[in-house]
Amino acid sequence: MNPGDLSTPPARPVVEDASHPIPTAQIPKAVVRRLSLYARALQRLEQAGREKVSSEELAKILGCKSAQVRKDFAYFGQFGTPGLGYPVSSLRQEIAKILGSDRELHVAVVGVGNLGSALLNYGGFTKQGYRMICGFDADPSRWHETGPAKIPVYPVAELGRRIREQKIHIVVLAVPAEAAQEVAATCAEAGAEGIMSFVPARLRLPEHVRVHQVDLALELESLGFYVR
Amino acid sequence: MNPGDLSTPPARPVVEDASHPIPTAQIPKAVVRRLSLYARALQRLEQAGREKVSSEELAKILGCKSAQVRKDFAYFGQFGTPGLGYPVSSLRQEIAKILGSDRELHVAVVGVGNLGSALLNYGGFTKQGYRMICGFDADPSRWHETGPAKIPVYPVAELGRRIREQKIHIVVLAVPAEAAQEVAATCAEAGAEGIMSFVPARLRLPEHVRVHQVDLALELESLGFYVR
DNA sequence: TAGATTGTTAATCGATTAACAATC
DNA sequence: TAGATTGTTAATCGATTAACAATC
């Protein structure tokens, strides 16, 4: 590991460039999930005025082992100092960057029925740097502002145009199953980067669009009543 | 598999009793999740009039490998016939029994805000043998029937009593984070068997109560915008 | 019987955890 | 320096997949 070895990959197994860590390996989905949990924990610690935190303490908060915490962070670079732990504030920012939540991602909901309007006005989304822009629906009776935040609902016909014009990054799908594929395709074509779908239907979309499916009925069933 | 065989349990490695298969081993959570997906697929196949299905075909539908399908079923017993496949109808019933969805589970929602009222009237829950009984809320202005199904909302003070009297098996939590622990404890004490929580708060409950957490903000974040 | 498909074992893959030298 | 805690490797655990004898 001496300076003469620089032509061969140096002692930096995962990170390409220290200033802007780009993960070379595929990051396990479980790690990405935990990243959000770390972000929240660090946010709380920061508000409480803490400057440093150890992997041990983060592990306690998340309910996992400290080795896992250290390994998770190691996917993205070196953030800690042996003997001292991790710097709360800058680690939080680093993770926000990794998750894209430093970008103020613009979110829209398509399908403003019961579930859709709940999601449109769900406070939890706005906390971590997401901004709810608008809703879309096919039904004219729903084309009005909703909830205390007065979020507007537009005709679904305007979906593509508004995604482009208002730079909507993420679309939340809460439409009937029959409509899902067509709506999702429109979103993808208009340049939406991610789709969170609450519709129990398989979506066929171009590779570069991130898709995350949430199936509420499945979640309920996965309580698994007979099995332990 | 002739009728005479039904009384004597054949070589059955995992199952204790043929008439009421009790898994001895701990069933992986991933398997339970897939069980719900199998149930849906089988439901569709049954409606289409199909009598047999192979592990290969089920694997296609679920997007996994046939070996996994066979192994999943093997946790609970022997349901198939070599050369023929699985009997659609009886396998569906078997899985329904395993998932508890042969019981018509009674569901209630606590916290009838935006999200809660969406869940109260979410059609997806009623499909697989779940019955939405009522909602609860602390706010008197919400104590009225909701939605097209006219599901009543009661004072949260009546929660314990009504869980007992109306035999509510599953409680869906959509209350503010501060209230979650107390409400959950009340449910557990009153005999609720499962809790599906949409509240981002850790719940401390007795072992026998099944808990499933869904964190919508986390789901959104897990689109993982920077990481691939 | 011949073809098909199961149940099950062994091999593979991936994720978690323990352990520890390196470092502040 | 001594104590603490990181980053990383190796060991463990668990879940998926391939392969195949057993069976209809």
Side-chain angles (χ1 to χ4, degrees), chain B residues 21-101:
Chain B
I22 294 166
T24 54
Q26 170 85 4
I27 309 298
K29 223 177 175 179
V31 175
V32 178
R33 261 187 107 73
R34 280 195 297 270
L35 241 34
S36 304
L37 295 172
Y38 294 133
R40 280 188 201 170
L42 290 163
Q43 211 169 27
R44 274 205 306 277
L45 288 165
E46 193 175 13
Q47 270 158 13
R50 290 283 304 278
E51 297 199 340
K52 297 275 176 187
V53 66
S54 69
S55 58
E56 192 61 58
E57 190 175 354
L58 282 170
K60 276 264 171 53
I61 296 172
L62 262 80
C64 65
K65 295 294 164 77
S66 66
Q68 184 157 73
V69 174
R70 296 195 296 277
K71 195 157 212 285
D72 285 349
F73 295 159
Y75 278 105
F76 304 100
Q78 305 198 160
F79 304 109
T81 310
L84 291 177
Y86 298 91
V88 171
S89 173
S90 71
L91 180 58
R92 189 194 55 72
Q93 286 170 50
E94 211 59 55
I95 290 175
K97 210 190 286 178
I98 292 166
L99 287 172
S101 43

Side-chain angles (χ1 to χ4, degrees), chain A residues 33 36 39-40 43 99-111 114-135 149 151 168-174 194-198 212-214 216, chain B residues 114-115 118-119 198-200 214-223 225:
Chain A
R33 262 188 107 72
S36 304
R40 279 187 202 171
Q43 211 169 27
L99 287 171
S101 43
D102 63 330
R103 270 214 276 159
E104 178 164 281
L105 291 164
H106 293 184
V107 182
V109 174
V110 187
N114 267 310
L115 183 60
S117 68
L119 296 167
L120 204 58
N121 293 289
Y122 185 58
F125 288 160
T126 45
K127 282 219 184 101
Q128 308 282 338
Y130 293 80
R131 175 145 152 236
M132 191 59 74
I133 303 292
C134 61
I151 295 166
I168 288 165
H169 304 105
I170 301 175
V171 176
V172 177
L173 276 196
I195 291 177
M196 174 156 83
S197 170
F198 286 86
H212 183 63
Q213 292 247 356
V214 179
L216 293 177
Chain B
N114 266 312
L115 183 61
L119 296 167
F198 286 85
V199 188
V214 179
D215 185 324
L216 292 178
L218 191 77
E219 301 290 344
L220 184 61
E221 284 172 54
S222 78
L223 276 172
F225 257 72

Side-chain angles (χ1 to χ4, degrees), chain B residues 103-158:
Chain B
R103 270 214 276 158
E104 178 163 281
L105 292 164
H106 293 183
V107 182
V109 174
V110 187
V112 190
N114 266 312
L115 183 61
S117 67
L119 296 167
L120 205 56
N121 294 289
Y122 186 57
F125 288 161
T126 44
K127 283 220 183 99
Q128 307 281 339
Y130 294 80
R131 178 146 151 232
M132 191 57 75
I133 303 293
C134 61
F136 297 91
D137 205 291
D139 180 351
S141 73
R142 289 175 179 161
W143 299 344
H144 51 71
E145 300 187 335
T146 62
K150 300 250 181 280
I151 295 167
V153 177
Y154 302 119
V156 77
E158 301 175 9

